[in-house]
Amino acid sequence: MRLGIVGAGQAACTLIAELIRGDFKGDILVFNGETHAPYQRPPLSKNWLKTSDDPTSLRLLPEPLETHPSIQWIQTSVQSLSPDQGLVTTDQGTYSVDHLVLATGTTAIKPSIPGLASESIHVIRTLDHALRLKKSLEGVTNITIIGAGFLAFELASSLADPSRTIRILAKGIRALPQVAVKTADRLVDQAPASIRVGVEIERFDETTKALVTNHGSIPTDLVIAAIGAQPNAELATACGLGSSDGIPVDEFMQTAHPKVSAIGEVSLHHQPHLNRIQRIESISEANDSASVCAKRLLGHPEPFQTIPWFWSDQGDAKLQIAGLCDRTDEETCLIESETELVMIRHQGQRVTAIEALNSAKEFMAARRLLDQGDLALDDLLQAGSVFARLQSSRS
Amino acid sequence: MSQWIEISTLNALADGAYERFEFDDVDVLVFREGEHVYAIEDLCTHDGAELCGGLYIDGEIECPRHGARFCVKTGQARSAPAYGKVSTFPIRIHEDGVIELQLDDA
């Protein structure tokens, strides 16, 4: 079999690793539209932004995998696909494949700000974005971050410096970190930035170098937008397989076309834990969907069934969330100390998510228990800790 | 071939658990599974930080930060986001239960 993978991010690399580990009989063509070898994205907004200039430290695949003889890396963007014929057209030529996996990821959304050219607004999605931001930081004293999700808080922590003033502007309270109130409060308290909610940006005033908003004039040397991302589904949409919400796939990551699969953040599928169709942007989604796809391609299909999970490093605060809950879900604090916090989100007795701050062991146990099936609130409260509950379930 | 270093005894290691040992250039996690003992470097090949503190279940240790899992017997990465093998170290157990570790044969 000749397999084509479009994209070379986390999902693509996990697919490659799992196929090689599973002794895949065939050739793998990887179409990488970036100029860099596969790299890790999460550190771009975290410590790497602050401490390193070395892109090689972000290398995603170990050398034996990157140079595996069955993999051919094609450094070019894909122009179009012809699934029926199994053709991938690039500006370097047309390639024939037996099956195609789309791991095209997402693109950061940039807001439109009158008076400010689009290229003057920074985003963080790729290594080139991060390198450009690093270069632009010299002499900058007023940084404005638009959006107030995890990415905005990570950036604020990474860019914190006595010589700079960092301001986070959020449109509404819904933009604040989607974690339990106590956890979010701590993040907001610890953020090395001022945070304003309910901000509408009117324009950028070049003369005063300030954003003009309904909260007054905000001095701004550099703007970073962290307001989300949109799926790169254009290639799939052009052949009738995509939508503006992503690329629909079944529980085995198969699109409507038998020769095409989609994995990672671009894939749109039923999330068993949530019992609804949803596209999720996280490393866990990239890895788990890739793993499901690899098993199918290796002839051992298993449906997608893992729970989503997330992490975010904001200075000393290590936030980890297992599961995904609605904003209206109840919350019960399981562990709280000066440095640690474990919050259970639940609907009645059914635990929907566990949010942990600086409590890695509790978080990892939560992942295991949520993956095993229904988890009751009273069981957790009785055990006193998620880890203790996991141990009791195994004894 | 480097020297064998006495690190513990079988009785001192709880079955199904692990302990961390610090040496000059490397930190090592030592796991006991029944009468078997395994040693790997305390280093996640995904982010270069320690594995210590992670769950040890079914012969695998799980990185406490991002969930990569490693086989403690072979050092092989069993799940993303790690893809590279973690170093392993030879172990020998004497009849009296003394456990010895050899460092530079990883």
Side-chain angles (χ1 to χ4, degrees), chain A residues 352-391:
Chain A
T352 51
I354 292 182
E355 299 166 351
L357 194 62
N358 299 330
S359 304
K361 203 171 183 177
E362 290 287 291
F363 164 75
M364 286 300 172
R367 273 188 60 206
R368 294 262 177 169
L369 285 169
L370 283 167
D371 264 340
Q372 283 172 20
D374 283 345
L375 187 55
L377 175 67
D378 281 348
D379 289 345
L380 280 180
L381 295 177
Q382 202 171 3
S385 89
V386 191
F387 184 65
R389 173 71 182 78
L390 177 69
Q391 283 183 312

Short mmCIF file of all heavy atoms in Angstrom, two decimals, chain A residues 352-391:
data_model
loop_
_atom_site.label_atom_id
_atom_site.label_comp_id
_atom_site.label_asym_id
_atom_site.label_seq_id
_atom_site.Cartn_x
_atom_site.Cartn_y
_atom_site.Cartn_z
N THR A 352 -18.12 14.60 34.91
CA THR A 352 -17.92 14.92 33.50
C THR A 352 -16.49 15.35 33.20
O THR A 352 -16.00 15.19 32.09
CB THR A 352 -18.88 16.04 33.07
OG1 THR A 352 -18.76 17.13 34.00
CG2 THR A 352 -20.32 15.55 33.07
N ALA A 353 -15.84 15.94 34.20
CA ALA A 353 -14.45 16.39 33.98
C ALA A 353 -13.76 16.56 35.33
O ALA A 353 -14.42 16.74 36.36
CB ALA A 353 -14.44 17.72 33.23
N ILE A 354 -12.45 16.47 35.28
CA ILE A 354 -11.66 16.76 36.49
C ILE A 354 -10.58 17.76 36.11
O ILE A 354 -9.85 17.56 35.14
CB ILE A 354 -11.07 15.48 37.09
CG1 ILE A 354 -12.23 14.63 37.63
CG2 ILE A 354 -10.08 15.80 38.21
CD1 ILE A 354 -11.84 13.35 38.29
N GLU A 355 -10.56 18.86 36.84
CA GLU A 355 -9.62 19.94 36.54
C GLU A 355 -8.59 20.00 37.66
O GLU A 355 -8.95 20.08 38.84
CB GLU A 355 -10.39 21.25 36.42
CG GLU A 355 -11.41 21.16 35.30
CD GLU A 355 -12.44 22.26 35.28
OE1 GLU A 355 -12.51 23.05 36.25
OE2 GLU A 355 -13.18 22.33 34.31
N ALA A 356 -7.33 19.92 37.30
CA ALA A 356 -6.27 19.84 38.30
C ALA A 356 -5.26 20.95 38.08
O ALA A 356 -4.85 21.23 36.96
CB ALA A 356 -5.58 18.48 38.22
N LEU A 357 -4.90 21.58 39.17
CA LEU A 357 -3.86 22.60 39.12
C LEU A 357 -2.68 22.10 39.95
O LEU A 357 -2.84 21.82 41.16
CB LEU A 357 -4.42 23.91 39.70
CG LEU A 357 -3.64 25.19 39.45
CD1 LEU A 357 -3.54 25.50 37.96
CD2 LEU A 357 -4.30 26.36 40.19
N ASN A 358 -1.53 21.91 39.32
CA ASN A 358 -0.33 21.40 39.99
C ASN A 358 -0.60 20.09 40.71
O ASN A 358 -0.10 19.85 41.81
CB ASN A 358 0.22 22.44 40.98
CG ASN A 358 0.62 23.72 40.27
OD1 ASN A 358 1.02 23.69 39.12
ND2 ASN A 358 0.51 24.84 40.96
N SER A 359 -1.42 19.23 40.13
CA SER A 359 -1.76 17.95 40.76
C SER A 359 -1.72 16.86 39.69
O SER A 359 -2.75 16.24 39.35
CB SER A 359 -3.16 18.01 41.38
OG SER A 359 -3.26 19.07 42.30
N ALA A 360 -0.55 16.61 39.15
CA ALA A 360 -0.40 15.72 37.99
C ALA A 360 -0.87 14.30 38.29
O ALA A 360 -1.51 13.65 37.46
CB ALA A 360 1.04 15.72 37.52
N LYS A 361 -0.54 13.82 39.50
CA LYS A 361 -0.88 12.43 39.81
C LYS A 361 -2.41 12.26 39.85
O LYS A 361 -2.95 11.27 39.35
CB LYS A 361 -0.28 12.08 41.17
CG LYS A 361 -0.07 10.62 41.40
CD LYS A 361 0.73 10.43 42.67
CE LYS A 361 1.05 8.99 42.90
NZ LYS A 361 1.88 8.80 44.09
N GLU A 362 -3.10 13.21 40.43
CA GLU A 362 -4.55 13.17 40.48
C GLU A 362 -5.14 13.23 39.07
O GLU A 362 -6.09 12.53 38.74
CB GLU A 362 -5.08 14.37 41.28
CG GLU A 362 -4.78 14.30 42.76
CD GLU A 362 -5.65 13.25 43.44
OE1 GLU A 362 -6.86 13.47 43.54
OE2 GLU A 362 -5.10 12.21 43.85
N PHE A 363 -4.55 14.06 38.25
CA PHE A 363 -5.04 14.23 36.89
C PHE A 363 -4.89 12.94 36.09
O PHE A 363 -5.79 12.51 35.38
CB PHE A 363 -4.29 15.37 36.21
CG PHE A 363 -4.45 15.37 34.72
CD1 PHE A 363 -5.63 15.77 34.14
CD2 PHE A 363 -3.42 14.93 33.92
CE1 PHE A 363 -5.79 15.73 32.77
CE2 PHE A 363 -3.58 14.88 32.54
CZ PHE A 363 -4.76 15.29 31.97
N MET A 364 -3.70 12.32 36.19
CA MET A 364 -3.46 11.11 35.41
C MET A 364 -4.40 9.99 35.86
O MET A 364 -4.89 9.20 35.05
CB MET A 364 -2.00 10.68 35.53
CG MET A 364 -1.07 11.56 34.73
SD MET A 364 -1.49 11.52 32.97
CE MET A 364 -0.43 12.80 32.33
N ALA A 365 -4.65 9.93 37.17
CA ALA A 365 -5.60 8.93 37.67
C ALA A 365 -7.00 9.23 37.14
O ALA A 365 -7.75 8.32 36.79
CB ALA A 365 -5.59 8.93 39.20
N ALA A 366 -7.35 10.52 37.06
CA ALA A 366 -8.67 10.91 36.55
C ALA A 366 -8.85 10.46 35.11
O ALA A 366 -9.90 9.97 34.72
CB ALA A 366 -8.83 12.43 36.66
N ARG A 367 -7.80 10.62 34.31
CA ARG A 367 -7.87 10.19 32.92
C ARG A 367 -8.19 8.70 32.83
O ARG A 367 -9.03 8.27 32.05
CB ARG A 367 -6.53 10.42 32.23
CG ARG A 367 -6.36 11.81 31.64
CD ARG A 367 -5.10 11.86 30.83
NE ARG A 367 -5.12 10.90 29.73
CZ ARG A 367 -4.04 10.38 29.17
NH1 ARG A 367 -2.84 10.71 29.61
NH2 ARG A 367 -4.13 9.54 28.18
N ARG A 368 -7.47 7.91 33.64
CA ARG A 368 -7.67 6.46 33.62
C ARG A 368 -9.11 6.11 34.00
O ARG A 368 -9.77 5.30 33.36
CB ARG A 368 -6.73 5.79 34.62
CG ARG A 368 -5.29 5.92 34.29
CD ARG A 368 -4.79 4.69 33.59
NE ARG A 368 -3.40 4.89 33.21
CZ ARG A 368 -2.62 3.91 32.78
NH1 ARG A 368 -3.08 2.70 32.68
NH2 ARG A 368 -1.38 4.16 32.44
N LEU A 369 -9.58 6.73 35.07
CA LEU A 369 -10.91 6.40 35.56
C LEU A 369 -11.99 6.84 34.59
O LEU A 369 -12.96 6.11 34.35
CB LEU A 369 -11.14 7.06 36.93
CG LEU A 369 -10.40 6.38 38.08
CD1 LEU A 369 -10.45 7.24 39.34
CD2 LEU A 369 -11.01 5.01 38.37
N LEU A 370 -11.85 8.01 34.01
CA LEU A 370 -12.84 8.48 33.05
C LEU A 370 -12.84 7.60 31.80
O LEU A 370 -13.87 7.32 31.22
CB LEU A 370 -12.58 9.94 32.68
CG LEU A 370 -13.02 10.96 33.74
CD1 LEU A 370 -12.43 12.34 33.42
CD2 LEU A 370 -14.52 11.07 33.84
N ASP A 371 -11.65 7.14 31.40
CA ASP A 371 -11.56 6.25 30.25
C ASP A 371 -12.23 4.91 30.52
O ASP A 371 -12.76 4.26 29.63
CB ASP A 371 -10.09 6.00 29.87
CG ASP A 371 -9.63 6.95 28.76
OD1 ASP A 371 -10.49 7.50 28.05
OD2 ASP A 371 -8.41 7.14 28.63
N GLN A 372 -12.19 4.49 31.80
CA GLN A 372 -12.78 3.18 32.16
C GLN A 372 -14.30 3.21 32.12
O GLN A 372 -14.95 2.19 32.09
CB GLN A 372 -12.32 2.78 33.56
CG GLN A 372 -10.90 2.25 33.60
CD GLN A 372 -10.40 2.03 35.02
OE1 GLN A 372 -11.18 1.93 35.95
NE2 GLN A 372 -9.10 1.98 35.18
N GLY A 373 -14.90 4.38 32.19
CA GLY A 373 -16.36 4.47 32.14
C GLY A 373 -16.90 5.46 33.14
O GLY A 373 -16.19 6.35 33.58
N ASP A 374 -18.14 5.26 33.49
CA ASP A 374 -18.79 6.22 34.39
C ASP A 374 -18.09 6.30 35.74
O ASP A 374 -17.67 5.31 36.30
CB ASP A 374 -20.25 5.82 34.61
CG ASP A 374 -21.10 6.19 33.41
OD1 ASP A 374 -20.61 6.98 32.57
OD2 ASP A 374 -22.22 5.67 33.31
N LEU A 375 -18.00 7.52 36.21
CA LEU A 375 -17.32 7.77 37.48
C LEU A 375 -18.30 8.56 38.35
O LEU A 375 -18.82 9.59 37.93
CB LEU A 375 -16.05 8.58 37.20
CG LEU A 375 -15.08 8.84 38.31
CD1 LEU A 375 -14.63 7.54 38.95
CD2 LEU A 375 -13.87 9.59 37.78
N ALA A 376 -18.56 8.05 39.55
CA ALA A 376 -19.55 8.69 40.42
C ALA A 376 -18.90 9.66 41.39
O ALA A 376 -17.82 9.38 41.94
CB ALA A 376 -20.34 7.63 41.18
N LEU A 377 -19.56 10.76 41.63
CA LEU A 377 -19.04 11.79 42.53
C LEU A 377 -18.80 11.22 43.93
O LEU A 377 -17.74 11.44 44.52
CB LEU A 377 -20.04 12.96 42.58
CG LEU A 377 -19.70 14.06 43.56
CD1 LEU A 377 -18.46 14.80 43.13
CD2 LEU A 377 -20.88 15.04 43.69
N ASP A 378 -19.77 10.49 44.45
CA ASP A 378 -19.64 9.99 45.82
C ASP A 378 -18.45 9.06 45.99
O ASP A 378 -17.80 9.05 47.04
CB ASP A 378 -20.93 9.26 46.25
CG ASP A 378 -22.01 10.26 46.64
OD1 ASP A 378 -21.68 11.47 46.78
OD2 ASP A 378 -23.18 9.86 46.78
N ASP A 379 -18.15 8.27 44.94
CA ASP A 379 -16.98 7.37 45.01
C ASP A 379 -15.70 8.19 45.19
O ASP A 379 -14.82 7.81 45.96
CB ASP A 379 -16.85 6.54 43.72
CG ASP A 379 -17.94 5.50 43.63
OD1 ASP A 379 -18.59 5.24 44.66
OD2 ASP A 379 -18.12 4.96 42.52
N LEU A 380 -15.62 9.29 44.47
CA LEU A 380 -14.42 10.14 44.57
C LEU A 380 -14.34 10.81 45.94
O LEU A 380 -13.28 10.85 46.56
CB LEU A 380 -14.44 11.21 43.48
CG LEU A 380 -14.01 10.80 42.10
CD1 LEU A 380 -14.09 11.97 41.14
CD2 LEU A 380 -12.58 10.25 42.11
N LEU A 381 -15.47 11.32 46.40
CA LEU A 381 -15.47 12.01 47.69
C LEU A 381 -15.11 11.04 48.81
O LEU A 381 -14.37 11.38 49.73
CB LEU A 381 -16.83 12.66 47.95
CG LEU A 381 -17.22 13.78 46.98
CD1 LEU A 381 -18.62 14.30 47.29
CD2 LEU A 381 -16.22 14.92 47.03
N GLN A 382 -15.61 9.82 48.70
CA GLN A 382 -15.33 8.82 49.73
C GLN A 382 -13.85 8.45 49.73
O GLN A 382 -13.24 8.30 50.78
CB GLN A 382 -16.17 7.57 49.46
CG GLN A 382 -16.39 6.72 50.68
CD GLN A 382 -17.40 5.61 50.40
OE1 GLN A 382 -17.89 5.45 49.28
NE2 GLN A 382 -17.69 4.84 51.43
N ALA A 383 -13.28 8.34 48.55
CA ALA A 383 -11.86 7.97 48.45
C ALA A 383 -10.96 9.13 48.89
O ALA A 383 -9.83 8.92 49.33
CB ALA A 383 -11.52 7.55 47.03
N GLY A 384 -11.44 10.35 48.74
CA GLY A 384 -10.66 11.51 49.19
C GLY A 384 -9.68 12.02 48.15
O GLY A 384 -9.23 13.16 48.23
N SER A 385 -9.33 11.18 47.19
CA SER A 385 -8.47 11.64 46.10
C SER A 385 -8.73 10.75 44.89
O SER A 385 -9.17 9.61 45.04
CB SER A 385 -6.99 11.59 46.49
OG SER A 385 -6.43 10.34 46.19
N VAL A 386 -8.47 11.28 43.71
CA VAL A 386 -8.70 10.51 42.49
C VAL A 386 -7.74 9.33 42.44
O VAL A 386 -8.09 8.23 42.05
CB VAL A 386 -8.52 11.40 41.24
CG1 VAL A 386 -9.02 10.67 40.00
CG2 VAL A 386 -9.24 12.73 41.40
N PHE A 387 -6.50 9.57 42.86
CA PHE A 387 -5.49 8.52 42.84
C PHE A 387 -5.90 7.37 43.77
O PHE A 387 -5.79 6.19 43.41
CB PHE A 387 -4.13 9.07 43.24
CG PHE A 387 -3.03 8.06 43.16
CD1 PHE A 387 -2.65 7.53 41.94
CD2 PHE A 387 -2.38 7.62 44.30
CE1 PHE A 387 -1.64 6.58 41.85
CE2 PHE A 387 -1.37 6.68 44.23
CZ PHE A 387 -1.00 6.15 43.00
N ALA A 388 -6.41 7.72 44.95
CA ALA A 388 -6.85 6.67 45.89
C ALA A 388 -8.02 5.88 45.29
O ALA A 388 -8.10 4.66 45.43
CB ALA A 388 -7.28 7.31 47.21
N ARG A 389 -8.90 6.58 44.56
CA ARG A 389 -10.03 5.90 43.92
C ARG A 389 -9.53 4.94 42.84
O ARG A 389 -10.05 3.84 42.69
CB ARG A 389 -10.95 6.97 43.30
CG ARG A 389 -12.07 6.45 42.45
CD ARG A 389 -13.16 5.76 43.27
NE ARG A 389 -14.21 5.23 42.41
CZ ARG A 389 -14.11 4.10 41.72
NH1 ARG A 389 -13.03 3.36 41.80
NH2 ARG A 389 -15.11 3.68 40.96
N LEU A 390 -8.51 5.34 42.10
CA LEU A 390 -7.94 4.48 41.07
C LEU A 390 -7.34 3.23 41.71
O LEU A 390 -7.54 2.11 41.23
CB LEU A 390 -6.87 5.22 40.26
CG LEU A 390 -6.16 4.39 39.19
CD1 LEU A 390 -7.11 4.04 38.05
CD2 LEU A 390 -4.96 5.12 38.63
N GLN A 391 -6.61 3.44 42.79
CA GLN A 391 -5.98 2.29 43.47
C GLN A 391 -7.04 1.31 43.97
O GLN A 391 -6.89 0.10 43.85
CB GLN A 391 -5.11 2.78 44.62
CG GLN A 391 -3.78 3.37 44.14
CD GLN A 391 -2.90 3.77 45.29
OE1 GLN A 391 -3.37 4.44 46.22
NE2 GLN A 391 -1.66 3.37 45.24
#
